[in-house]
Amino acid sequence: MKKKLDELTDEVLNELEASGYSKLTRDNFRYFWNGMIRYFESQNIYEFNTKIAMEYLEIRSSKTDLRKHSKNFIKRAIFILDHYNNYGEIPLRCYTPITKSNNPQYIEILNDYGKHLAEGEYSSRTIEGYLKNVVGFIQFLEENEYLCIDEWSAEIMFKYIETLSEFKKATIKHKTGSLRLFLRYLYLENIIKEDLSQYIGTIRGTYHQKLPSFWTKNEVNQLLAAIDQNNPNEKRDYAMILLVARLGLRSSDVKKLKFENLHWKENQIVIIQSKTGEPLTLPLLRDVGWAIIDYVQNARPKVDNQHVFLRHLPPYAELSERNHLYKTIEKYMIRAKLPISAKKRNGMHSLRHSLATTLMEENIALSNISDILGHTSVDSTSIYLNVDINRLRDCALDVNKLGVKQDGKL
């Protein structure tokens, strides 16, 4: 049974307080929600409904000249209620379609589509990416006054695609892919009568792979030595960085690591990779294991949460998927006096690249490196051949032995 609106807002306010929101922010939310509750009651509606909430916002906007900042804050208040009502949690970041559109029909469709994606096996980052691209399409429709979904046609799709010409090829591929998925959903749900996804072409082509950024062994050791292992926060960071630098785990898998994944008797870490969905088993190296034990026993917040690594400020929850830990690495780079270059990526993933490069230099077979990194294909691993200078040198042709003539012919 769904909660009544006043019960929902009270519960959300308590969660906001526990999450560290300021009293001023909570009071501003409470002020808006109280007015919204009165409007719902005047319509004999007692449960939360996004469409009715947006109607109330429009009525309030028509009576008062709200500034853009105030209007966005109110839309955010509506989104928090909607998200909590559906998922039982306060969103760590308030990106949502309803802050980008003023069309009630489009808002409802976008929210339903967001829920549809959430029911699938997409990560929150993937869902956010899809919604962001679809919102760009919706903004195009509103700017060109295509305000009813029944007006959508192949011609409108072509006009929208023309507006993408200024973007890079990879960006166009992401935007059109997101739109194709969205249009297909609308057709299968009988929201549109024609499958307009057929008019969204597929972007194909060869993409030039960038050489991966990597660290030398000495640089990795300097970085680790710069971490203060007497500091609770840094005990956590040290263990996380070791998992990437020594075992090559993706940062997303480190953040999702649970106690059940640590098989101490077998000295193994066993996970299902968040990116590929494939199982991965890695050795629990001695220094990595002791770093995890030190963190759990001496620094980890004493809360009931199955994730190994937690935030150290309320709420004591697992780390956000959107936190790529770049600033964490950068902090220790500065402390270790390691160079920071705009041309070189210095995030957690670069440590993963470094492990692959080191293994390559030690003549570990490419297939074994692929298994360690959890790649589904050796092709994904082969890019590290490009940074193995010694092996490239071995592949170089000896021009003298080829018998090249003065005219350049063999």
Side-chain angles (χ1 to χ4, degrees):
M1 181 178 178
K2 290 187 176 180
K3 299 180 180 69
K4 290 185 177 180
L5 184 53
D6 56 349
E7 295 174 347
L8 177 65
T9 55
D10 287 343
E11 190 170 324
V12 170
L13 285 168
N14 289 333
E15 287 291 328
L16 290 174
E17 184 176 6
S19 299
Y21 282 71
S22 70
K23 185 177 183 302
L24 177 61
T25 300
R26 299 197 311 272
D27 286 345
N28 285 334
F29 281 138
R30 181 185 288 110
Y31 177 76
F32 169 74
W33 287 336
N34 286 342
M36 187 180 70
I37 290 171
R38 290 192 292 271
Y39 176 75
F40 271 58
E41 290 175 346
S42 70
Q43 305 294 314
N44 293 320
I45 298 172
Y46 300 95
E47 294 179 353
F48 180 75
N49 180 290
T50 305
K51 184 177 180 180
I52 304 301
M54 293 302 293
E55 282 181 10
Y56 170 65
L57 171 59
E58 292 307 313
I59 291 172
R60 182 166 175 175
S61 299
S62 65
K63 294 180 179 179
T64 309
D65 186 19
L66 291 176
R67 294 182 179 180
K68 183 178 180 180
H69 174 77
S70 300
K71 196 167 184 177
N72 284 340
F73 180 85
I74 292 173
K75 286 182 178 180
R76 181 184 174 198
I78 295 172
F79 166 63
I80 288 176
L81 280 185
D82 179 62
H83 189 93
Y84 191 89
N85 193 43
N86 287 304
Y87 309 112
E89 63 179 13
I90 302 296
L92 294 179
R93 179 177 170 186
C94 287
Y95 172 83
T96 174
I98 65 174
T99 64
K100 305 291 184 180
S101 174
N102 293 312
N103 184 308
Q105 184 187 32
Y106 291 165
I107 290 169
E108 185 175 4
I109 289 171
L110 286 168
N111 282 329
D112 288 343
Y113 183 54
K115 293 170 187 175
H116 165 75
L117 292 175
E119 291 171 358
E121 295 185 357
Y122 299 106
S123 70
S124 61
R125 283 181 58 204
T126 300
I127 292 173
E128 182 174 309
Y130 282 150
L131 288 176
K132 186 175 182 180
N133 288 330
V134 171
V135 165
F137 170 66
I138 295 297
Q139 287 178 313
F140 161 81
L141 296 174
E142 292 185 339
E143 288 168 2
N144 291 275
E145 298 186 351
Y146 300 120
L147 303 179
C148 179
I149 198 168
D150 293 334
E151 299 175 355
W152 294 10
S153 64
E155 182 181 0
I156 292 175
M157 301 303 120
F158 295 145
K159 286 182 178 179
Y160 171 69
I161 292 172
E162 286 178 5
T163 67
L164 304 179
S165 59
E166 63 187 56
F167 292 102
K168 293 181 179 179
K169 194 172 184 179
T171 303
I172 297 174
K173 180 179 179 180
H174 291 311
K175 288 181 177 292
T176 53
S178 298
L179 178 57
R180 193 183 308 110
L181 190 67
F182 175 59
L183 293 172
R184 186 64 180 165
Y185 157 80
L186 295 178
Y187 176 69
L188 293 175
E189 294 293 319
N190 295 316
I191 298 172
I192 55 177
K193 296 178 181 179
E194 183 182 6
D195 183 6
L196 297 175
S197 67
Q198 63 184 307
Y199 302 115
I200 311 300
T202 301
I203 306 298
R204 300 185 182 277
T206 302
Y207 295 93
H208 298 288
Q209 289 181 310
K210 294 182 179 179
L211 291 179
S213 300
F214 65 97
W215 307 55
T216 65
K217 287 183 181 179
N218 286 338
E219 287 173 336
V220 173
N221 290 334
Q222 282 180 258
L223 181 79
L224 292 170
I227 303 173
D228 180 5
Q229 294 182 55
N230 293 315
N231 179 301
N233 281 345
E234 299 193 17
K235 282 182 186 289
R236 177 197 64 194
D237 297 343
Y238 182 74
M240 293 176 68
I241 291 172
L242 268 185
L243 280 163
V244 181
R246 298 279 194 261
L247 299 179
L249 279 180
R250 295 182 180 89
S251 61
S252 57
D253 291 325
V254 172
K255 288 179 288 185
K256 290 183 177 180
L257 191 68
K258 295 183 177 181
F259 289 108
E260 66 189 41
N261 301 128
L262 303 173
H263 295 206
W264 295 101
K265 290 183 179 180
E266 295 83 8
N267 282 330
Q268 291 180 336
I269 296 178
V270 182
I271 65 169
I272 300 297
Q273 299 173 87
S274 56
K275 181 176 181 179
T276 66
E278 296 293 326
L280 178 66
T281 300
L282 293 170
L284 183 51
L285 302 179
R286 184 179 179 83
D287 58 345
V288 176
W290 280 114
I292 293 173
I293 290 170
D294 184 32
Y295 167 64
V296 172
Q297 290 186 344
N298 303 312
R300 186 178 181 273
K302 307 300 181 185
V303 295
D304 183 17
N305 189 308
Q306 288 303 304
H307 288 83
V308 176
F309 301 108
L310 303 178
R311 289 163 44 92
H312 281 209
L313 292 173
Y316 299 116
E318 60 271 20
L319 299 170
S320 169
E321 286 186 33
R322 301 179 182 90
N323 181 359
H324 302 301
L325 306 173
Y326 175 81
K327 288 295 181 183
T328 301
I329 295 290
E330 189 178 70
K331 176 176 71 173
Y332 299 124
M333 288 184 68
I334 293 171
R335 192 183 295 174
K337 298 182 180 179
L338 293 170
I340 297 176
S341 170
K343 296 181 180 179
K344 180 179 177 181
R345 296 181 179 179
N346 299 308
M348 280 284 201
H349 214 66
S350 63
L351 290 172
R352 180 173 152 87
H353 295 324
S354 304
L355 175 65
T357 305
T358 299
L359 294 174
M360 187 75 69
E361 291 172 350
E362 293 177 356
N363 293 319
I364 304 299
L366 197 64
S367 58
N368 292 339
I369 298 174
S370 180
D371 289 341
I372 292 169
L373 296 181
H375 286 160
T376 55
S377 168
V378 176
D379 292 340
S380 301
T381 318
S382 61
I383 188 173
Y384 297 107
L385 288 170
N386 297 328
V387 294
D388 189 344
I389 302 302
N390 291 328
R391 290 199 180 186
L392 287 177
R393 189 178 289 117
D394 291 340
C395 296
L397 297 175
D398 188 336
V399 177
N400 293 328
K401 293 181 179 179
L402 291 175
V404 180
K405 299 178 181 179
Q406 288 185 352
D407 60 2
K409 296 181 179 179
L410 294 175

